[in-house]
Amino acid sequence: SNIKRGSYSDYFIRRRFRRYRMDKKHFIKFWLPVILYMIFIFYMSSLEFPRKPNVHIASSSFKVSDIVLHVLEYGLFSIVLFRAFHNSSARFKEKSLYLTLIVAFLYGLFDEVHQMFVQTRFFEIKDLLSNTVGSFMILFTRNVKILRR
């Protein structure tokens, strides 16, 4: 780097970027779960036609709908993502609901495009809608509870 330590430019750069630093504990507690969950979603969508889980209740057994799986998957993703945004800087905190919905939708879109390159998988609008509905439902019910307090 051509910037000398102690110069005005060095001071300005250090001061400017200091506020964007995140300590390791904060990252591990709030953002690492988001990254790990995104990796999990990517891995699951890389599988060629994964089996739908059988649910056993009492003496009956049934397969879980693909739509239900997408709603649950992105609902949980939205909780983890909202938690990370809400516990970040004040700028993110006040917009955490909107940021969560936007990021969850974009990641769902990325996930569906990714599936176009996996054999036996394909892009489905209903999956993208299910992802978005899951994110919205979970965040809406969560925020209604927060607002009632």
Side-chain angles (χ1 to χ4, degrees):
S1 154
N2 294 336
I3 300 172
K4 293 181 182 175
R5 188 162 176 79
S7 69
Y8 177 76
S9 297
D10 178 56
Y11 168 77
F12 178 75
I13 290 170
R14 287 175 183 269
R15 187 168 180 254
R16 184 89 171 130
F17 290 103
R18 186 180 309 145
R19 70 174 117 151
Y20 297 113
R21 268 195 263 166
M22 183 184 315
D23 67 335
K24 289 179 186 175
K25 288 180 184 178
H26 185 270
F27 175 80
I28 290 170
K29 185 175 181 180
F30 296 109
W31 287 102
L32 187 61
V34 172
I35 293 168
L36 292 175
Y37 200 79
M38 291 171 87
I39 291 169
F40 172 74
I41 291 172
F42 187 84
Y43 170 74
M44 292 302 289
S45 66
S46 298
L47 300 176
E48 296 178 11
F49 274 132
R51 290 190 202 138
K52 293 182 180 118
N54 286 327
V55 176
H56 303 284
I57 298 176
S59 61
S60 62
S61 175
F62 56 92
K63 290 204 182 282
V64 178
S65 164
D66 187 41
I67 293 172
V68 171
L69 291 176
H70 278 271
V71 167
L72 292 174
E73 177 183 36
Y74 275 81
L76 183 58
F77 177 52
S78 294
I79 289 171
V80 175
L81 194 57
F82 178 81
R83 181 177 163 263
F85 279 131
H86 196 69
N87 289 290
S88 291
S89 69
R91 207 172 55 179
F92 285 150
K93 186 174 186 167
E94 66 187 33
K95 296 179 178 137
S96 56
L97 179 66
Y98 302 112
L99 288 169
T100 300
L101 288 171
I102 291 167
V103 170
F105 172 79
L106 291 175
Y107 195 73
L109 180 62
F110 166 76
D111 185 39
E112 291 302 315
V113 170
H114 162 248
Q115 288 183 28
M116 291 170 41
F117 301 99
V118 177
Q119 273 188 327
T120 71
R121 303 292 294 263
F122 43 91
F123 185 102
E124 285 190 272
I125 291 292
K126 78 171 178 66
D127 289 348
L128 185 59
L129 290 173
S130 301
N131 299 343
T132 306
V133 166
S135 295
F136 184 77
M137 281 177 32
I138 294 296
L139 290 174
F140 179 75
T141 56
R142 179 186 173 102
N143 281 315
V144 167
K145 287 180 184 176
I146 289 171
L147 291 173
R148 285 185 182 167
R149 288 183 191 171

